[in-house]
Amino acid sequence: MQFQQLLYFVAVAETRHFTRAAERVHVSQPSLSQQIRALEKELGAELFSRARGNVALTDAGEALLPLARRILADTETARHEVQELAQLRRGRVRLGATPSVCTGLLPDVLRTFHDLHPGIQLLIEESGSHDLVRELARGALDLALVVLPLPSASPALTTVELLHEDLVVVSSAAVAPPDRPLRIADLEGEPLVMFRHGYDLRELTVAACRAAGFEPSFTVEGGEMDAVLGFVRAGLGLAVVPSMVAARARDLRVTALARPGLRRTIALAHRSDVAPPRAARELQKVLLATQTATLGRARSTSRTPGPSASARTTSGQTAPAQTASASDSV
């Protein structure tokens, strides 16, 4: 089984067309078809059903496709790892993060990393934890900043806790400030601006309200982080957001949640079976080294924020690390 054959197989599987697949991988259609037939002969099974005008995966093709994608992704990672050995003058890091982490934690981290390694390309994937874990599992990301806990599934991931962060309530500056920290129960009947489905913050907030015995009331729902903050700024309701995000939000009133409040754990995750490329490991060091300073700026809006003990470094390695697995929730 040759790398080139797997590349051609994935191209046909994704385009469902031999001619378009050949154009995609820059070979002639007869050459591509010949390599696919050779692969099928070696495996002893047809990978595609070739009905007139329709190319579909057989059961054998369906089984091979995720494995082929992972082999190709791992090969690409190996290629970049070798390139990056040239004193990190070039290369890339594919980093995933939840939207709130992109807003609160990443700007300072990425600026520091870029100053240290200006030749490294940074590719950022912004999505919920569920999608990020899935992208890690198939080799499309090197690292991801996700919200713990991750429900058990497969394949396994290694996670290193970076920080525990309090959530706070933000409201329009025109709203009269409360005279005390808010309890979750105080949100009953209050108009809330709510994130779209797929946001970790949405699930956490709704679960907390239900645990307090009520269903939250939404005036607006379905927004991304910037949109939610804009709706709050316009006076459409309250929102529960991470303290780091609140610290950067202008013209908003920030109110702490009364004990026990709401907290979340942010962790850095990567696949357990494949070591991150060198550039990704360097970014991991920067994340661990700078997150304490970033949290310091959030202390004015957070009760007891601070880095997790597991975010210490010893001889350039993170410790201790937890082994978790791919999540089916966000």
Side-chain angles (χ1 to χ4, degrees):
M1 185 184 304
Q2 300 176 8
F3 172 84
Q4 196 173 44
Q5 291 173 335
L6 293 178
L7 181 67
Y8 295 170
F9 163 72
V10 171
V12 176
E14 292 179 348
T15 62
R16 302 301 171 100
H17 196 280
F18 278 80
T19 300
R20 285 197 293 268
E23 293 172 351
R24 175 170 158 178
V25 296
H26 308 294
V27 298
S28 67
Q29 191 270 329
S31 296
L32 181 141
S33 297
Q34 182 180 8
Q35 289 298 320
I36 294 294
R37 285 194 296 271
L39 179 59
E40 290 176 323
K41 182 177 180 181
E42 180 178 352
L43 295 175
E46 290 190 351
L47 301 174
F48 299 101
S49 60
R50 299 167 174 83
R52 178 175 296 181
N54 182 40
V55 176
L57 285 166
T58 63
D59 290 343
E62 292 282 3
L64 177 61
L65 182 57
L67 300 174
R69 282 174 169 159
R70 183 173 298 178
I71 291 170
L72 294 177
D74 289 346
T75 302
E76 181 71 2
T77 298
R79 185 176 70 84
H80 279 278
E81 175 74 1
V82 172
Q83 290 179 344
E84 291 163 3
L85 291 177
Q87 299 180 8
L88 291 174
R89 287 195 294 261
R90 65 184 185 274
R92 69 173 184 182
V93 179
R94 303 168 300 171
L95 174 67
T98 61
S100 58
V101 172
C102 283
T103 302
L105 177 64
L106 278 191
D108 290 338
V109 170
L110 297 187
R111 180 185 60 196
T112 300
F113 181 81
H114 179 70
D115 289 344
L116 292 171
H117 308 292
I120 301 298
Q121 182 185 17
L122 295 166
L123 304 177
I124 307 301
E125 173 78 17
E126 186 176 6
S127 192
S129 293
H130 167 74
D131 292 335
L132 295 177
V133 167
R134 184 174 57 197
E135 293 298 285
L136 277 174
R138 75 180 189 89
L141 292 175
D142 302 312
L143 302 169
L145 290 160
V146 297
V147 178
L148 296 183
L150 299 177
S152 60
S154 181
L157 301 176
T158 295
T159 63
V160 179
E161 291 186 9
L162 287 181
L163 59 97
H164 303 295
E165 182 182 20
D166 288 339
L167 304 185
V168 297
V169 178
V170 292
S171 58
S172 168
V175 174
D179 56 5
R180 58 176 174 78
L182 292 173
R183 301 169 301 164
I184 295 297
D186 294 330
L187 299 180
E188 183 174 7
E190 291 288 340
L192 296 181
V193 178
M194 184 50 64
F195 300 96
R196 64 169 172 81
H197 288 281
Y199 259 58
D200 305 87
L201 291 170
R202 179 191 180 102
E203 307 305 326
L204 196 156
T205 303
V206 170
C209 291
R210 289 174 177 168
F214 68 94
E215 284 292 324
S217 175
F218 305 150
T219 53
V220 182
E221 62 175 314
E224 303 281 347
M225 179 61 70
D226 288 343
V228 165
L229 295 177
F231 296 150
V232 172
R233 194 173 286 113
L236 290 170
L238 312 176
V240 177
V241 303
S243 56
M244 283 191 298
V245 172
R248 291 176 176 270
R250 298 180 179 179
D251 305 325
L252 290 179
R253 191 178 304 283
V254 181
T255 305
L257 285 167
R259 294 180 182 274
L262 292 176
R263 306 190 83 194
R264 67 176 188 168
T265 300
I266 304 298
L268 186 65
H270 63 82
R271 280 173 52 184
S272 300
D273 58 338
V274 179
R278 183 182 175 192
R281 297 196 299 270
E282 292 299 316
L283 177 58
Q284 181 174 347
K285 292 178 184 178
V286 173
L287 275 163
L288 296 176
T290 61
Q291 54 90 12
T292 300
T294 302
L295 280 177
R297 287 193 292 273
R299 287 198 175 100
S300 61
T301 57
S302 179
R303 185 177 71 252
T304 55
S308 164
S310 61
R312 294 191 299 268
T313 58
T314 304
S315 301
Q317 301 297 318
T318 57
Q322 300 180 9
T323 297
S325 48
S327 171
D328 288 330
S329 65
V330 294

